[in-house]
Amino acid sequence: MGTVEPKRRRGRAHALTLLCATALLAVTALGGVAQAAPAPEPGAKSLEQVRKEIEDLYRQAGTATDAYNLAESEAKAQSDRIVEIAKQVAAGQERISALKNRAGAAARAQYRSGGLPAGARLALSSSPVQFLDGTDRIRRGEKAATDLLSDMNRTQTDLQQHAKDAKAEWEKLEANRIKKEASKKEVEEKIKAAEELESKLEAEEKARLLQLEHDAQYRAQTAWLSTGVLKEINGSATEAGRKAVQFATQQIGKPYRWGAEGPDSFDCSGLTSQAWRAAGRGIPRTSQEQLRLLPKIALKDMRPGDLIIYFDDASHVGMYVGDGAMVHAPRPGRQITLAGAGSMPIRAVVRPDA
């Protein structure tokens, strides 16, 4: 018992050190000092204008990526539904076959009895006991025949409905395939346009472009912190939240790739959905669906593991890790990293384990 408390203190000290390091990394990543850029030539775009144009293209690519991921997710659900319908159709066909065999057996039994109607056989019975016994058998036989016909009709109706359901699911699947292809084309076009803009820059300009990105994020984070927001945010992570944060932070340094869900690369919502899957909670695949379907909470109640949805179109998502920092997969050409939670416009905060 004497060694338990020191171990706990060491565990808390380690956690505090990690949290401080996390905050320091977030501030360091965002806090570089901008260098004065040379004046652009008359009529030429400034590097800041180029930065904003590239950022806007990647934002549009992010929105298209969300549409692609949603279409892919829906297509998978529809494929699963079609497989399930096929199983139901197969079961229904087996049921129909069994019912037809029963009907055939009844017909053969009637043939063996000479083809006499049940009522005639009852009238020809030679004793009251046989008469009463025959009456009961007739009632049971008539009920069995009625049940058999009802069962066959019901099964046939079910099969017809399954056929309609399968047709509807195939139509949805095809519509989603078209939507997915259109979204894929848009993503690739936007990324290509952004990469072409960036490829025209000299090495020195690319370095300054990265610095401008950091400066813009730093200004946004500083403005967010200046509101005193961290004074209210002091929630503790749940066990599941800690597991999700641990998974997400372990991916730091891996590249962003649109549509990716790991293990070697991720897009923004691929990272958050897989992190929560690792924590034992399945959540929607896209940032827009995460916003739509997960419980929203007040910013002041935010705790590590919660998801921060960014921009008016909910095209980006990061995971809050504490001390005003979040982890996210930024965009193509960048790696999973820590950043300030307020470094982009916050649309909402949602909680996967509410």
Side-chain angles (χ1 to χ4, degrees):
M1 292 297 290
T3 62
V4 173
E5 189 56 33
K7 285 183 179 179
R8 288 178 177 169
R9 284 199 297 270
R10 286 197 298 271
R12 287 196 294 269
H14 176 70
L16 182 59
T17 301
L18 180 59
L19 197 56
C20 290
T22 296
L24 180 59
L25 281 171
V27 173
T28 302
L30 299 177
V33 178
Q35 298 176 359
E41 297 177 6
K45 292 179 181 178
S46 70
L47 195 57
E48 176 62 14
Q49 288 174 318
V50 173
R51 182 192 71 79
K52 288 181 177 179
E53 192 171 342
I54 290 173
E55 184 180 273
D56 187 54
L57 285 167
Y58 280 126
R59 281 268 319 281
Q60 293 175 47
T63 301
T65 297
D66 241 22
Y68 174 90
N69 289 337
L70 179 60
E72 187 175 58
S73 178
E74 289 177 344
K76 183 181 182 305
Q78 285 147 8
S79 295
D80 292 344
R81 173 65 178 148
I82 288 168
V83 170
E84 183 60 31
I85 290 172
K87 290 178 181 178
Q88 292 172 344
V89 168
Q93 289 172 335
E94 288 180 6
R95 178 71 175 156
I96 286 289
S97 179
L99 291 171
K100 285 181 177 178
N101 287 338
R102 283 174 54 193
R108 288 192 296 273
Q110 185 175 3
Y111 175 78
R112 286 194 297 271
S113 69
L116 287 174
R121 292 198 303 275
L122 177 60
L124 294 173
S125 59
S126 59
S127 72
V129 173
Q130 288 179 334
F131 182 87
L132 292 174
D133 186 49
T135 301
D136 185 55
R137 284 201 303 273
I138 288 172
R139 282 199 298 267
R140 292 199 304 270
E142 289 175 344
K143 184 177 185 305
T146 301
D147 290 347
L148 179 63
L149 288 174
S150 296
D151 206 351
M152 288 183 70
N153 288 335
R154 185 166 54 251
T155 304
Q156 291 281 15
T157 300
D158 289 345
L159 285 173
Q160 291 171 359
Q161 185 60 51
H162 291 332
K164 290 179 182 178
D165 291 344
K167 182 175 182 293
E169 292 299 329
W170 275 114
E171 288 172 352
K172 289 179 186 176
L173 188 64
E174 178 61 14
N176 266 320
R177 185 191 67 78
I178 294 170
K179 185 168 66 174
K180 188 169 73 169
E181 287 303 313
S183 297
K184 178 182 179 181
K185 182 180 179 182
E186 183 178 358
V187 172
E188 291 172 342
E189 286 175 350
K190 298 300 182 184
I191 291 177
K192 183 180 178 182
E195 288 174 343
E196 285 179 352
L197 269 177
E198 200 162 355
S199 69
K200 294 175 183 177
L201 301 175
E202 300 294 337
E204 183 182 344
E205 290 177 313
K206 288 180 181 178
R208 287 197 292 111
L209 180 67
L210 182 58
Q211 185 62 56
L212 287 174
E213 287 182 16
H214 287 169
D215 291 344
Q217 294 169 8
Y218 178 73
R219 287 193 299 270
Q221 175 75 351
T222 300
W224 184 67
L225 292 176
S226 68
T227 64
V229 64
L230 282 190
K231 294 177 182 177
E232 294 183 311
I233 301 175
N234 54 15
S236 299
T238 60
E239 181 61 28
R242 283 192 289 273
K243 290 179 181 178
V245 168
Q246 182 181 30
F247 178 94
T249 53
Q250 285 174 345
Q251 313 314 311
I252 288 173
K254 292 183 179 180
Y256 176 105
R257 184 169 66 83
W258 74 270
E261 298 179 88
D264 300 321
S265 57
F266 297 83
D267 63 19
C268 66
S269 57
L271 176 64
T272 55
S273 60
Q274 289 303 307
W276 272 101
R277 183 180 296 276
R281 299 291 180 98
I283 66 172
R285 169 63 177 88
T286 71
S287 57
Q288 292 174 348
E289 289 295 280
Q290 288 168 3
L291 172 65
R292 187 172 73 88
L293 298 174
L294 295 178
K296 298 176 183 62
I297 62 165
L299 188 63
K300 66 181 180 63
D301 296 325
M302 187 163 60
R303 68 191 185 198
D306 288 341
L307 306 183
I308 308 175
I309 309 296
Y310 292 101
F311 304 110
D312 289 341
D313 59 0
S315 58
H316 192 67
V317 60
M319 178 180 292
Y320 187 63
V321 297
D323 280 356
M326 60 92 171
V327 60
H328 71 145
R331 66 166 176 82
R334 299 289 184 261
Q335 297 174 330
I336 295 171
T337 187
L338 289 169
S343 59
M344 292 174 285
I346 295 175
R347 166 76 184 274
V349 179
V350 297
R351 177 162 292 167
D353 61 339

